[in-house]
Amino acid sequence: MQAEQLRDFVVDKLEDLKGRDIKVLDVHDQTDVAEYMVVCSGNSKTHVKSLANHVATEAKHHGVPPIGVEGADSSEWVLVDLGDVVVHVMQESIRDFYELEKLWGPR
């Protein structure tokens, strides 16, 4: 799957489970780690964990197994590394604190 297709796939899967305030950040000029970061909010720890698990499971079923999943134990911030696309699913308070959109957004 190309980076753009994977990005759109991830957004679609987050929308499946009502992920909130989904933002796509094009980071290919800022890092060699990924082409895109997708940031999304969940309503609760359970919602955050469900969103991240859904993305990881569906990606695996479509031939893109996650390189890693971090943070599922606490489920305040779960990162799903799909290579070209890194997904951050966060509780609103954590997202407000770290402000990834400002850190990785357009300069």
Side-chain angles (χ1 to χ4, degrees):
M1 203 177 298
Q2 298 291 332
E4 293 80 12
Q5 292 172 311
L6 184 56
R7 172 201 64 204
D8 295 343
F9 176 84
V10 165
V11 169
D12 185 55
K13 296 307 158 195
L14 291 170
E15 289 173 343
D16 284 351
L17 295 185
K18 309 289 187 224
R20 293 189 356 247
D21 196 19
I22 301 167
K23 301 285 186 207
V24 176
L25 307 172
D26 185 341
V27 296
H28 80 275
D29 286 336
Q30 295 169 285
T31 182
D32 293 333
V33 174
E35 296 290 316
Y36 298 98
M37 286 191 189
V38 179
V39 183
C40 171
S41 295
N43 296 327
S44 64
K45 288 182 179 186
T46 304
H47 191 212
V48 167
K49 190 172 189 173
S50 294
L51 285 162
N53 285 342
H54 185 61
V55 168
T57 301
E58 290 297 315
K60 185 177 180 181
H61 289 322
H62 284 83
V64 184
I67 294 169
V69 177
E70 298 291 331
D73 292 339
S74 69
S75 297
E76 292 178 346
W77 177 357
V78 181
L79 181 144
V80 181
D81 185 350
L82 298 172
D84 286 337
V85 178
V86 176
V87 185
H88 299 271
V89 185
M90 311 166 95
Q91 288 188 37
E92 197 67 44
S93 60
I94 301 299
R95 186 171 178 176
D96 290 344
F97 182 79
Y98 286 101
E99 298 182 324
L100 292 183
E101 293 93 334
K102 287 184 181 178
L103 181 65
W104 289 99
R107 309 236 177 232

